[in-house]
Amino acid sequence: MFRRRRNREVPQLNTTSTADISFMLLIFFLVTSSMDTDKGLTSQLPPPEDTTEQQEQEVKKRNVLELRLDADDVLTCNGETIGNDELTKRVEDFVANVSDAADLPEKSEREVHLIGRCRVSDRHIITIEADRETTYNAYFEMQNAIARGYNNLRDRLARSRFGHAYALCSQEERDAVAMVYPKRISEVRGER
């Protein structure tokens, strides 16, 4: 009458190779996909401060270009409000000091490898004071304007001395050009 029901077993899937397959797919996608890398401003940070030995150096006012970026993103250069394009021009004029003006940085005579004996702008300092409320974009644009000024000077020197752009210079040529126009930037803590 009544049939006895047998408990049927549900067939199971063989999943022993699933982990291997998923691991191989993961490796495949990691190897074949490209990761976007953010590019930023390249600058060398100073070594950690040694609080036991801090020497104060006397810097002549003519050797300093004071930049200030306030909380409203207003850029001032030696107390005068300017834009980023004007800042690039000011940095070029300040660092190069072609006419050896009395209100621009002093130059010193040096022997530079591959270039020879020349007057070098190695005493200038560009000080930056940015308020803590300054937007990142305003700060970044100011840094770009400064970098553009240095790059323009270095490019002109490379073209006149080596016959090609600074970007195409060998490392030895870049080092020589950088000795003539060294980047000398000092950042001061902002308000707050």
Side-chain angles (χ1 to χ4, degrees), residues 95-96 110-116 118-122 124 149-184:
V95 174
R110 283 238 174 116
E111 182 69 33
V112 179
H113 179 64
L114 298 179
I115 294 178
C118 62
R119 296 186 48 81
V120 176
S121 178
D122 61 350
H124 74 277
Y150 277 105
N151 289 341
N152 291 346
L153 288 171
R154 290 176 175 184
D155 193 59
R156 279 195 292 264
L157 180 62
R159 286 180 191 278
S160 69
R161 294 293 180 147
F162 307 122
H164 52 265
Y166 180 71
L168 301 175
C169 287
S170 67
Q171 188 59 46
E172 190 178 28
E173 292 170 336
R174 284 175 185 251
D175 292 343
V177 171
M179 281 187 71
V180 176
Y181 295 123
K183 268 190 186 176
R184 297 178 43 100

Side-chain angles (χ1 to χ4, degrees), residues 20 29 52 66-67 99 101 108 114 136 143 161 165 168 174 177 183:
D20 294 337
F29 285 115
T52 58
E66 296 175 357
L67 301 177
S99 62
S108 56
L114 298 179
Y136 177 77
Q143 286 282 0
R161 294 293 180 147
L168 301 175
R174 284 175 185 251
V177 171
K183 268 190 186 176

Side-chain angles (χ1 to χ4, degrees), residues 7 9 12 28 31 36 56 74 79 90 115 126 138 165 180 188:
N7 286 340
E9 288 185 24
Q12 294 183 353
F28 173 75
V31 169
D36 289 335
E56 206 169 296
V74 176
R90 291 250 181 125
I115 294 178
I126 298 175
V180 176
V188 182

Side-chain angles (χ1 to χ4, degrees), residues 19-33 35:
D20 294 337
I21 293 171
S22 57
F23 181 70
M24 287 172 47
L25 284 172
L26 177 67
I27 296 296
F28 173 75
F29 285 115
L30 285 174
V31 169
T32 59
S33 63
M35 304 287 179

